[in-house]
């Protein structure tokens, strides 16, 4: 008897089905090659050969001569089939042992483990020798009922609806409260510039200026030290800080718990410090019954949250779009297949409906007009037109006759076909596409990984810079007060010099934090 070995060859440079046909046709003619099966999407050829006549390296060389890249794959275990079953009717450990020992004795089963507690069996087998239906039959013969572990075909893990909703909500809340704050800010800026123009034209003294300034409605003091402007900003800022920033706080907390600092940590730091500082300054001003209203940063948190939650919302919408495409791809897969038994002269003896995961290689599958092809295969009998637009994008139906290959997920149009399954389960073209898209989504571009690494250093360094700024200005202030006096607008003689210095230093350091916050790196 001739011994037949099996090897796998990784093939690169195949672009379409004709490349596959080309390789298969040419290699079948060679001496010592028993059969060859090429999977286009996986870029893999499975070759059964006679080791006395030909070696795997020679097979790869033959494929290379046809103009493709080919390397022999060392781990031939790639061909193992894996089966997850639910087994009912087991009562004790001896049942488990019975199933395991019987399966291990069965030719083609490589590994088998049955768990009594979960009623699950995990089986590895060689698809050349045995298939899932045979394994199920063995277990049934022992007197147990068994069924496939149902796969989640709905692709619910690809759903981004909830995240889209939460970021949209976060954005809308921030926006609703941010607009009035921005309005107030713009109004103040216009009024200030008008006042300074008036002062330039009419040679007003500073005292007259201040009198005019405090006569404005927004600068009117409800309580000594608490102006209408600051009070309104404070009220508008609270809901944003709580509702708009909710998710940021959760994320930042999680990051800090794992001793990392991400963008969320920066955002939370900047907004919280700006809010807390402004609040404390207001309390101090009220305690001092200050005549001049303090400069607060209540406008910072709402504006930051608006921009960043808008960015996050758009990002999740984009992710949702890709996932939608994937979910649609997954839904193209057929769920059932009709397997037929053929007698001599291809006479139909019997047919049965089985779950698509139970189709074995070499099974004869019948596909009626209008039906989907459950697996990749070759036509044995029948003529039909097939719509393969889901794979090729070609709108015109393709003619299929005996010997042609068909792709899982494509639609049979007008004739009934009998096909012999060549690629089943995770090897079908469609499963491979789904796998590739999923991998493409989860893998990061090198530049993205670099950006992630950078932001890991970016956050702590920004915090450090901001702390340095704080202390630097305090030192400068105490050494040379005039510099601070020059830059600190609205400086009022009623406040002590030390307080002016500290307030100015705080403003400078918060500015550093807030400017670095929605950094393009994090948003991108």
């Amino acid at each position: 008897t001739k011994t037949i070995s099996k090897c796998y060859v990784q093939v690169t440079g195949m672009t379409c089905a004709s490349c596959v046909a080309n390789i298969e046709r040419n290699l079948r003619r060679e001496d010592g090659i028993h059969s060859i099966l090429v999977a286009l999407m996986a870029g893999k050829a499975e070759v059964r050969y006679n080791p006395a006549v030909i070696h795997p390296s020679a097979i790869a060389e033959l494929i290379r001569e046809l103009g493709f890249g080919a390397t022999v794959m060392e781990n031939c275990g790639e061909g193992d089939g894996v089966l997850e079953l639910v087994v009912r009717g087991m009562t004790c450990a001896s049942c488990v042992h019975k199933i395991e020992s019987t399966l291990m004795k069965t030719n083609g089963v490589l590994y088998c483990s049955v768990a009594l507690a979960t009623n699950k069996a995990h089986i590895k087998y060689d698809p050349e020798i045995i298939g899932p239906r045979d394994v199920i039959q063995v277990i049934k013969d022992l007197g147990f009922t068994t069924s496939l572990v149902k796969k989640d075909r709905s692709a619910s893990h690809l759903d981004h609806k909830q995240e889209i909703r939460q970021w949209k909500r976060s954005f809308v809340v921030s926006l609703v409260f941010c607009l009035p704050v921005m309005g107030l800010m713009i109004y103040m800026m216009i009024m200030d510039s008008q006042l300074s123009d008036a002062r330039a034209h009419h040679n007003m003294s500073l005292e007259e200026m201040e009198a005019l300034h405090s006569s404005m409605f927004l600068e009117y003091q409800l309580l000594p030290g608490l102006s209408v402007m600051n009070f309104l900003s404070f009220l508008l800022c609270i809901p944003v800080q709580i509702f708009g920033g909710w998710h940021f706080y959760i994320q930042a907390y999680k990051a800090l718990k794992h001793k990392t600092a991400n963008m969320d940590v920066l955002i939370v730091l900047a907004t919280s410090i700006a809010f807390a500082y402004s609040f404390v300054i207001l309390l101090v001003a009220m305690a001092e019954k200050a005549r001049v209203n303090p400069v607060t940063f209540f406008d910072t948190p709402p504006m930051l949250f608006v921009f960043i939650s808008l960015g996050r919302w758009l990002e999740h919408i984009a992710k949702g779009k890709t996932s939608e495409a994937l979910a649609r791809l997954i839904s193209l897969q057929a769920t059932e297949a009709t397997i037929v038994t053929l007698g001599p002269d291809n006479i139909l003896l019997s047919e049965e409906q089985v779950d698509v995961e139970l189709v074995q290689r070499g099974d004869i599958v019948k596909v009626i007009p209008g039906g989907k092809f459950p697996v990749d295969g070759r036509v044995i009998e029948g003529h039909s037109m097939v719509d393969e637009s889901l794979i090729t994008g070609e709108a015109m139906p393709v003619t299929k006759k005996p010997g042609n290959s068909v792709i899982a997920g494509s639609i049979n149009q007008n004739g009934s076909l009998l096909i012999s399954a060549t690629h089943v389960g995770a090897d079908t073209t469609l499963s491979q596409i789904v796998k590739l898209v999923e991998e493409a989504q989860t893998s990061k571009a090198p530049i993205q990984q670099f950006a992630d690494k950078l932001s890991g250093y970016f956050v702590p360094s920004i915090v450090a810079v901001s702390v340095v700024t704080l202390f630097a200005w305090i030192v400068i202030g105490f050494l040379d007060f005039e510099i601070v006096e020059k830059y600190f607008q609205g400086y009022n003689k009623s406040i002590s010099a030390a307080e002016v210095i500290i307030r100015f230093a705080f403003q400078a350091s918060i500015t550093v934090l807030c400017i670095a916050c929605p950094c393009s790196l994090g948003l991108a």
Side-chain angles (χ1 to χ4, degrees), residues 319-340:
K319 275 189 193 161
K321 286 270 187 295
T322 333
S323 307
E324 229 169 76
L326 238 188
R328 267 205 217 106
L329 255 184
I330 292 175
S331 70
L332 289 172
Q333 292 174 332
T335 49
E336 299 228 305
T338 309
I339 291 180
V340 297

Side-chain angles (χ1 to χ4, degrees), residues 419-475:
I419 64 164
S420 162
T422 53
H423 295 93
V424 295
D427 293 335
T428 62
T429 310
L430 195 58
S431 305
Q432 290 288 336
I433 292 178
V434 170
K435 192 171 124 215
L436 286 171
V437 176
E438 274 185 334
E439 276 170 14
Q441 263 201 306
T442 48
S443 63
K444 286 185 174 173
I447 187 75
Q448 225 175 326
Q449 286 170 338
F450 179 64
D452 285 353
K453 203 157 103 192
L454 265 189
S455 65
Y457 301 122
F458 178 81
V459 178
S461 52
I462 290 298
V463 175
V465 169
S466 133
V467 170
V468 168
T469 310
L470 176 72
F471 288 114
W473 275 110
I474 291 176
V475 172

Side-chain angles (χ1 to χ4, degrees), residues 307-503:
F307 288 122
I308 290 169
S309 50
L310 173 65
R312 297 272 164 100
W313 179 34
L314 294 176
E315 180 189 353
H316 281 289
I317 287 178
K319 275 189 193 161
K321 286 270 187 295
T322 333
S323 307
E324 229 169 76
L326 238 188
R328 267 205 217 106
L329 255 184
I330 292 175
S331 70
L332 289 172
Q333 292 174 332
T335 49
E336 299 228 305
T338 309
I339 291 180
V340 297
T341 332
L342 295 181
D345 298 336
N346 285 358
I347 299 167
L348 285 187
L349 295 182
S350 68
E351 54 179 76
E352 61 167 327
Q353 287 273 358
V354 297
D355 202 294
V356 76
E357 269 119 33
L358 290 180
V359 179
Q360 292 164 197
R361 190 186 286 178
D363 276 342
I364 309 295
V365 180
K366 176 175 150 193
V367 185
I368 55 171
K372 272 184 195 165
F373 289 98
V375 290
D376 292 5
R378 253 191 216 92
V379 180
I380 313 177
E381 192 183 295
H383 286 258
S384 180
M385 304 294 278
V386 173
D387 174 8
E388 290 186 347
S389 58
L390 92 140
I391 305 288
T392 59
E394 170 59 68
M396 293 295 287
V398 187
T399 313
K400 296 289 177 191
K401 52 185 190 295
N404 292 13
S405 53
V406 290
I407 307 169
S410 52
I411 297 163
N412 185 14
Q413 291 194 330
N414 48 19
S416 189
L417 290 177
L418 289 183
I419 64 164
S420 162
T422 53
H423 295 93
V424 295
D427 293 335
T428 62
T429 310
L430 195 58
S431 305
Q432 290 288 336
I433 292 178
V434 170
K435 192 171 124 215
L436 286 171
V437 176
E438 274 185 334
E439 276 170 14
Q441 263 201 306
T442 48
S443 63
K444 286 185 174 173
I447 187 75
Q448 225 175 326
Q449 286 170 338
F450 179 64
D452 285 353
K453 203 157 103 192
L454 265 189
S455 65
Y457 301 122
F458 178 81
V459 178
S461 52
I462 290 298
V463 175
V465 169
S466 133
V467 170
V468 168
T469 310
L470 176 72
F471 288 114
W473 275 110
I474 291 176
V475 172
I476 292 171
F478 281 114
L479 291 178
D480 186 353
F481 183 63
E482 278 169 19
I483 298 181
V484 175
E485 209 172 6
K486 196 171 88 188
Y487 288 113
F488 191 67
Q489 257 82 41
Y491 164 60
N492 185 343
K493 304 288 183 287
S494 65
I495 308 172
S496 70
E499 195 181 325
V500 171
I501 292 168
I502 286 170
R503 274 196 197 182

Side-chain angles (χ1 to χ4, degrees), residues 152-159 323 326-327 330 438:
D152 176 21
R153 285 212 184 87
S154 64
S156 54
H157 61 285
L158 300 171
D159 199 6
S323 307
L326 238 188
I330 292 175
E438 274 185 334

Side-chain angles (χ1 to χ4, degrees), residues 34-180:
H34 194 265
S35 72
I36 173 164
L37 193 64
V38 181
L40 175 66
M41 292 304 299
K44 200 165 75 176
E46 178 186 309
V47 186
R48 296 171 77 188
Y49 63 99
N50 181 353
V53 182
I54 196 165
H55 282 288
S57 51
I59 295 172
E61 190 49 50
L62 287 170
I63 297 177
R64 276 198 287 275
E65 279 168 15
L66 293 172
F68 302 98
T71 46
V72 179
M73 290 163 72
E74 294 306 323
N75 50 341
C76 283
E78 289 287 309
D80 290 353
V82 176
L83 191 58
E84 291 269 343
L85 296 175
V86 180
V87 182
R88 302 246 172 252
M90 296 188 292
T91 50
C92 61
S94 73
C95 301
V96 172
H97 177 69
K98 194 161 105 187
I99 295 174
E100 284 185 352
S101 59
T102 312
L103 278 174
M104 288 306 281
K105 277 188 221 136
T106 309
N107 186 14
V109 175
L110 308 171
Y111 162 83
C112 158
S113 136
V114 180
L116 181 64
T118 56
N119 284 348
K120 284 212 176 118
H122 186 80
I123 299 143
K124 279 202 175 87
Y125 61 93
D126 181 349
E128 292 287 306
I129 304 171
I130 195 170
R133 288 207 312 285
D134 309 331
V135 174
I136 288 177
Q137 196 51 51
V138 170
I139 300 176
K140 278 196 179 138
D141 291 344
L142 291 172
F144 302 99
T145 53
T146 176
S147 60
L148 275 180
V149 172
K150 275 279 169 270
K151 288 222 175 69
D152 176 21
R153 285 212 184 87
S154 64
S156 54
H157 61 285
L158 300 171
D159 199 6
H160 286 270
K161 287 200 183 72
Q162 194 201 343
E163 284 108 324
I164 293 175
R165 262 206 311 275
Q166 80 179 29
W167 288 113
K168 183 181 178 181
R169 199 166 50 224
S170 176
F171 169 67
V172 170
V173 168
S174 309
L175 187 68
V176 165
F177 292 101
C178 168
L179 289 174

